[in-house]
């Protein structure tokens, strides 16, 4: 374990090994084993090219040589900020082999988040594509190099000024193999959804993550004949290893990367690449449902659609089943910190459509507790706590946060309110964490508020969730202003752009109020703000309906 990671207590480590969850094997070793068995079979596909397992290993070896030639070695951290592409697969494997720890950053992150991640992880390098969706990632990376003392290199998938091209240098001198990785040490850092002012890092070990990917592959029916579509940002735990890209590599399945999440593009890719498995968020499932009937036929190859990241509403689940009767609809309720719950492929339709499933592993321990940490009676709602062979024991370098986020005996407090149904499945009823879930992307209210408060016009700020038909939620900012100041939503967005905050976190509605509702200890009553927002939205909707009716009459 590197410094800053919380080890599993010896007793648990022994148990997880004895019970067969953990093996003394790195992720690279396991994937390389599978690659040798599947050498000539298709491993990864993106919009430009495809690689067999043999070619994937070869490209990963070249990327490893580039990193090694730049002085990176075991335990060093590299931020990976790549869009969904074959190079993401090769680079991730190269890191696993070299023992370099990838920090899985999303392409949508900007200066504020990346600078924080670079400093927190003391990353030596960042890997990028020079430009993506009109944004100059190479330029930002060069800026970061100036401001983050640990950053020494920019790796790029194609040539760009100031960047080292991955695989560019001849790899003749690279050793054929790198020996001796520690299966029980951190393999990668995932980002937490975040409830605090700044994103946290989640260290996952080779052993726990391998088990995660293998068990998830099994429960999703992934095998050598499967083809999985990765359309969610590949750095997320869900598309990465639940079972995702890593599960596919372990089972000999093909990983197909897509960069567009437009329903028509997804359907075309599913037809063209004969996709069998599609992990997605409810917003994408809804988009597929809204396809014209003739496009829906393109979904014929699909066997399993696994929906999670956000609550899938029962009507959507039922409509999916009705529109595509050949499909198995599976729900997953998971978190980057570990625990995964799935409905099983042979569950009755009622369970698959109305619950978020049950824990993946017999080694998972879950508790549903009240505000005092006491188990609630069966069937009552409470906060979900979990512990198990693939759930972390602490965030990276965050002792204070860890004291709150984990119980004394090592349970992770999820902040989700759930219920246990008589069938032994979980339903997610809400949450107590201060977060907005925007189509599966998590936004920490506190993080956005800390930026808003820095604005010269703002005297206090509170960000709350606003209900949305497809995305589930969007962020709404309530602010009070300094005397004489004025503010618009556009001005806020411009300000957050200048602060380098990722766009998906920007508030999409602004409410300026005279005073924040406060509790007697001076905390903002967010529940009251949410109720206020609901009332405002209701009033607007009714006004909209009256207007429509009037227009109709006139027409
Ligand atoms: C996944 O991971 P994260 O880390 O982005 O977010 C975790 C949180 C959960 O604590 C819960 O609040 C929410 O996302 N969530 C769901 C859900 N799945 C996740 N809420 C309601 N219903 C669901 N089905 O989102 C994630 C990681 C691995 C697999 C799937 C999702």
């Amino acid at each position: 374990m590197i410094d800053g990671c919380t080890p599993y207590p010896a007793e648990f480590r022994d148990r997880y090994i004895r019970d067969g969850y953990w093996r003394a094997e790195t992720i690279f070793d396991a994937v390389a084993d599978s690659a040798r068995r599947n050498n000539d079979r298709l491993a990864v596909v993106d919009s430009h090219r495809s690689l067999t397992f043999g070619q994937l290993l070869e490209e990963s070896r070249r990327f490893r040589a580039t990193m090694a030639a730049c002085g990176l070695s075991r335990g060093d951290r590299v931020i990976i900020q790549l869009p969904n592409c074959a190079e993401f697969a090769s680079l991730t494997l190269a890191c696993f082999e070299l023992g370099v720890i990838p920090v899985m950053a999303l392409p949508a992150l900007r200066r504020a988040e990346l600078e924080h991640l670079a400093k927190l992880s003391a990353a030596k390098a960042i890997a990028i594509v020079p430009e993506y969706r009109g944004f100059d990632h190479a330029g930002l990376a060069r800026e970061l190099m100036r401001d983050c003392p640990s950053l020494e290199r920019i790796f790029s998938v194609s040539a760009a000024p100031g960047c080292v091209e991955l695989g560019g240098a001849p790899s003749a001198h690279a050793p054929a193999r790198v020996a001796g990785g520690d299966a029980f040490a951190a393999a990668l850092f995932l980002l937490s959804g975040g409830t605090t002012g700044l994103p946290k890092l989640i260290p996952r070990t080779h052993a726990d993550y391998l088990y995660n990917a293998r068990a998830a592959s099994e429960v999703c029916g992934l095998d050598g004949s499967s083809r999985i579509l990765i359309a969610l940002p590949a750095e997320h735990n869900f598309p990465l290893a639940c079972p995702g890209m890593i599960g596919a590599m372990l089972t000999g399945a093909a990983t197909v990367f897509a960069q567009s999440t437009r329903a028509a593009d997804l359907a075309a890719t599913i037809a063209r690449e004969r996709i069998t498995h599609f992990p997605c968020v409810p917003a994408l499932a809804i988009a597929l449902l809204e396809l014209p009937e003739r496009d829906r036929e393109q979904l014929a190859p699909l066997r399993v659609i696994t929906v999670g990241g956000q609550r899938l509403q029962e009507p959507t689940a039922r409509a999916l089943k009705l529109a595509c009767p050949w499909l198995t609809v599976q729900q997953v309720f998971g978190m980057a910190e570990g625990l995964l719950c799935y409905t099983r492929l042979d569950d009755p339709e009622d369970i698959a459509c109305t619950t978020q499933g049950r824990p993946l592993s017999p080694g998972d321990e879950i508790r549903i507790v009240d505000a005092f940490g006491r188990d609630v009676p069966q069937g009552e709602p409470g906060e979900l706590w979990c512990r198990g062979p693939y759930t972390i024991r602490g965030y990276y370098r965050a002792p204070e946060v860890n004291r709150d986020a984990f119980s004394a005996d090592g349970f992770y407090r999820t902040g989700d309110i759930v219920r246990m149904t008589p069938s032994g499945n979980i339903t997610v009823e809400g949450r107590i964490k201060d977060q907005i879930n925007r189509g599966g992307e998590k936004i920490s209210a506190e993080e956005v508020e800390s930026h808003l408060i820095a604005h010269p016009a703002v005297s206090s700020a509170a960000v709350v969730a606003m209900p949305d038909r497809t995305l589930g939620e969007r962020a709404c900012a309530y602010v009070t202003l300094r005397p004489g100041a004025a503010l618009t939503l556009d001005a806020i967005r411009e300000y957050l752009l200048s602060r380098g905050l990722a766009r998906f976190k920007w508030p999409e509605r602004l409410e300026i109020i005279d005073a924040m509702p406060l509790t007697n200890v001076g905390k903002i009553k967010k529940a009251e703000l949410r109720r206020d927002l609901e009332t405002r939205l209701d009033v607007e909707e009714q006004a909209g309906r009256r207007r429509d009716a009037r227009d109709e009459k006139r027409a």
Side-chain angles (χ1 to χ4, degrees):
M1 273 281 169
I2 57 168
D3 266 5
C5 299
T6 312
Y8 291 84
E11 168 205 346
F12 285 88
R13 175 189 152 125
D14 294 348
R15 184 197 308 169
Y16 295 152
I17 294 173
R18 190 188 61 228
D19 292 349
Y21 303 124
W22 291 1
R23 305 182 198 168
E25 183 183 32
T26 67
I27 302 176
F28 180 82
D29 287 342
V31 171
D33 247 15
S34 157
R36 274 188 288 275
R37 284 194 307 274
N38 296 290
N39 191 62
D40 297 324
R41 302 177 49 131
L42 191 62
V44 294
V45 182
D46 68 15
S47 51
H48 298 295
R49 58 202 193 111
S50 56
L51 300 175
T52 62
F53 277 94
Q55 291 165 332
L56 172 68
L57 277 194
E58 175 48 33
E59 182 164 283
S60 143
R61 197 169 85 97
R62 287 194 292 114
F63 286 9
R64 160 168 59 86
T66 307
M67 288 196 284
C70 289
L72 272 88
S73 62
R74 186 170 306 288
D76 287 341
R77 272 79 68 191
V78 172
I79 297 177
I80 299 190
Q81 192 194 27
L82 294 179
N84 291 357
C85 60
E87 289 86 354
F88 172 78
S90 312
L91 181 61
T92 301
L93 278 185
C95 288
F96 290 154
E97 183 176 19
L98 199 53
V100 162
I101 300 173
V103 179
M104 293 296 181
L106 307 171
L109 299 189
R110 291 297 178 257
R111 201 191 59 242
E113 293 95 0
L114 292 173
E115 188 177 325
H116 165 69
L117 294 177
K119 289 183 173 160
L120 176 60
S121 68
K124 278 200 179 165
I126 178 167
I128 52 147
V129 292
E131 197 201 298
Y132 181 59
R133 295 194 170 149
F135 185 77
D136 177 12
H137 286 276
L140 174 56
R142 287 191 295 268
E143 252 180 66
L144 288 169
M145 280 257 280
R146 282 196 298 274
D147 299 337
C148 307
S150 67
L151 274 185
E152 295 168 2
R153 304 275 179 185
I154 305 168
F155 295 122
S156 172
V157 299
S158 56
C163 304
V164 178
E165 196 178 340
L166 279 167
S171 62
H173 303 300
R177 294 205 50 121
V178 176
D182 179 356
F184 306 113
L188 73 162
F189 286 171
L190 298 170
L191 302 197
S192 86
T195 51
T196 54
L198 291 163
K200 299 181 293 282
L201 289 174
I202 298 172
R204 302 288 302 258
T205 65
H206 289 274
D208 95 70
Y209 216 48
L210 262 180
Y211 173 62
N212 184 110
R214 282 188 171 125
S217 299
E218 207 177 307
V219 93
C220 296
L222 206 66
D223 62 31
S225 67
S226 310
R227 299 162 71 100
I228 190 166
L229 177 58
I230 305 298
L232 299 173
E235 286 89 351
H236 273 310
N237 186 33
F238 180 18
L240 183 60
C242 308
M245 176 187 91
I246 295 180
M249 288 177 177
L250 294 171
T251 50
T255 300
V256 178
F257 288 111
Q259 293 185 352
S260 163
T261 49
R262 287 186 43 228
D265 295 339
L266 291 173
T269 306
I270 289 167
R272 190 183 62 244
E273 303 294 342
R274 302 190 317 281
I275 298 297
T276 58
H277 287 69
F278 182 34
C280 69
V281 290
L284 291 186
I286 293 171
L288 287 184
L289 267 176
E290 287 173 354
L291 279 170
E293 190 121 3
R294 58 170 197 292
D295 289 346
R296 212 180 286 150
E297 282 163 23
Q298 296 184 299
L299 308 182
L302 212 51
R303 293 284 154 267
V304 182
I305 184 166
T306 307
V307 192
Q310 194 172 31
R311 175 80 192 244
L312 175 67
Q313 299 302 328
E314 181 187 342
T316 311
R318 302 252 185 223
L320 265 177
K321 215 38 226 171
L322 208 63
C324 312
W326 63 89
L327 253 189
T328 301
V329 177
Q330 180 180 45
Q331 297 206 43
V332 56
F333 159 51
M335 54 210 70
E337 286 81 357
L339 179 71
L340 302 169
C341 296
Y342 288 91
T343 58
R344 303 308 197 254
L345 299 183
D346 57 0
D347 272 345
E349 198 174 313
D350 270 339
I351 286 180
C353 290
T354 60
T355 81
Q356 281 66 61
R358 49 195 178 278
L360 174 63
S361 169
D364 285 319
E365 301 170 76
I366 63 170
R367 294 183 59 199
I368 302 175
V369 303
D370 66 16
F372 304 100
R374 295 175 305 214
D375 294 304
V376 298
Q378 158 74 31
E380 291 296 308
E383 185 188 5
L384 176 68
W385 289 12
C386 57
R387 184 169 79 173
Y390 59 101
T391 295
I392 58 162
R393 293 301 187 116
Y395 294 106
Y396 181 62
R397 285 194 182 153
E400 251 142 65
V401 173
N402 287 340
R403 269 194 287 279
D404 286 338
F406 296 84
S407 70
D409 53 354
F411 279 84
Y412 168 58
R413 304 175 194 219
T414 65
D416 292 310
I417 300 294
V418 306
R419 223 187 256 276
M420 179 70 75
T421 66
S423 62
N425 289 281
I426 282 172
T427 58
V428 183
E429 308 284 331
R431 63 170 173 260
I432 49 177
K433 53 190 167 189
D434 199 5
Q435 203 174 63
I436 290 102
N437 190 336
R438 185 184 189 275
E441 292 290 359
K442 314 305 183 304
I443 305 171
S444 152
E446 193 182 320
E447 183 183 4
V448 182
E449 288 158 6
S450 72
H451 288 276
L452 294 177
I453 303 209
H455 190 285
V458 172
S459 85
S460 67
V463 174
V464 296
M466 153 171 83
D468 185 84
R469 202 180 61 84
T470 40
L471 289 177
E473 298 174 4
R474 295 175 190 266
C476 169
Y478 274 81
V479 300
T480 62
L481 297 182
R482 292 187 189 283
L487 192 64
T488 62
L489 186 58
D490 279 345
I492 286 192
R493 296 163 70 98
E494 216 150 281
Y495 181 68
L496 295 177
L497 175 68
S498 77
R499 308 249 320 162
L501 188 73
R503 179 183 285 262
F504 73 87
K505 300 177 184 172
W506 298 0
E508 294 176 84
R509 181 182 172 107
L510 171 67
E511 291 297 340
I512 298 173
I513 52 177
D514 292 336
M516 288 287 172
L518 297 179
T519 65
N520 48 16
V521 291
K523 268 181 63 173
I524 296 176
K525 288 185 184 162
K526 287 208 168 174
E528 200 158 299
L529 293 179
R530 277 188 286 267
R531 275 196 300 276
D532 175 75
L533 183 56
E534 258 168 51
T535 316
R536 289 174 196 250
L537 292 170
D538 273 353
V539 170
E540 284 168 22
E541 203 188 305
Q542 280 163 22
R545 258 193 250 127
R546 276 198 301 275
R547 212 171 28 243
D548 287 350
R550 249 196 332 265
D551 291 352
E552 231 164 76
K553 236 189 232 164
R554 252 187 232 137

